[in-house]
Amino acid sequence: METNTRRNFFGKIAAMAAVIAGVPKLFAQQTSPAGAPATGSPAPGGAGGDAARRPGNHTYNGIYYFSGTGSNDGYPKEDHILVTDPFEKHVTRTMDALKKSVERAGCTMDSIIHAQVFFCLPLADGVAMPAGKARFDAHKAQYDALNKIYRTYFSPGGAPSRACMALEWIPGDSLIEIVGSARVINPPTTAAGG
């Protein structure tokens, strides 16, 4: 299966799950309306895409489902970071993008129900990939750095249930990606683009 972006990939997975589960209405909500900006294109009135309104992100029965949010989401192309930038910068930018996305959808960081966090080591020319115990240690160092930053985005005791997985690669020049769901606390008005 060829995918151009992680959003398309997760959208296709969600669509297949919806068909299998017999929920065609959920699938219909994930498609973007005609004339909507293409994935990765700047959203009208914003500098670099509105993650809360992109395909794959949707609200259903008071729950906001967000698809792959990475370190370059919500930033203009000229402000994208590379896989060779520090992991902590990737985490901070990803968490900032996630916070903006959930807030646009009428949620708060503390209303996130569950999150899946994917992270990887940088795959780039000139960057040696560790092996064996060194690879484990590198992933453990990333996990520790992630936790230090991640917890600052939630009130004490407010962090959601979470799963973390180390991968070989994440699309979009990101070393981290987060998917999950959040309870909508204050639904946005229709005029705001919902």
Side-chain angles (χ1 to χ4, degrees), residues 101-180:
S101 175
V102 297
E103 287 175 351
R104 282 189 195 109
C107 309
T108 66
M109 291 298 284
D110 287 344
S111 75
I112 295 176
I113 300 165
H114 181 74
Q116 294 179 336
V117 181
F118 306 93
F119 59 95
C120 66
L121 297 172
L123 285 175
D125 291 339
V127 176
M129 185 59 66
K133 179 154 177 11
R135 188 182 201 106
F136 173 84
D137 291 342
H139 282 302
K140 177 71 169 86
Q142 282 185 318
Y143 181 75
D144 293 341
L146 164 69
N147 285 334
K148 270 186 187 174
I149 297 167
Y150 182 87
R151 69 175 162 237
T152 67
Y153 284 80
F154 303 95
S155 63
S161 66
R162 180 186 81 177
C164 288
M165 292 149 271
L167 306 174
E168 288 298 313
W169 175 75
I170 295 173
D173 288 333
S174 186
L175 295 179
I176 179 172
E177 180 169 293
I178 302 176
V179 300

Side-chain angles (χ1 to χ4, degrees), residues 34-60:
T39 301
S41 298
D50 184 345
R53 289 182 249 168
R54 74 171 177 237
N57 290 357
H58 63 278
T59 299
Y60 183 75

Side-chain angles (χ1 to χ4, degrees), residues 41-94:
S41 298
D50 184 345
R53 289 182 249 168
R54 74 171 177 237
N57 290 357
H58 63 278
T59 299
Y60 183 75
N61 285 342
I63 303 295
Y64 174 59
Y65 297 90
F66 48 92
S67 60
T69 301
S71 58
N72 287 316
D73 291 320
Y75 294 92
K77 188 75 171 167
E78 60 275 2
D79 191 27
H80 279 197
I81 60 174
L82 304 174
V83 295
T84 52
D85 286 320
F87 181 71
E88 292 81 2
K89 185 172 185 178
H90 282 265
V91 174
T92 299
R93 286 171 54 109
T94 299

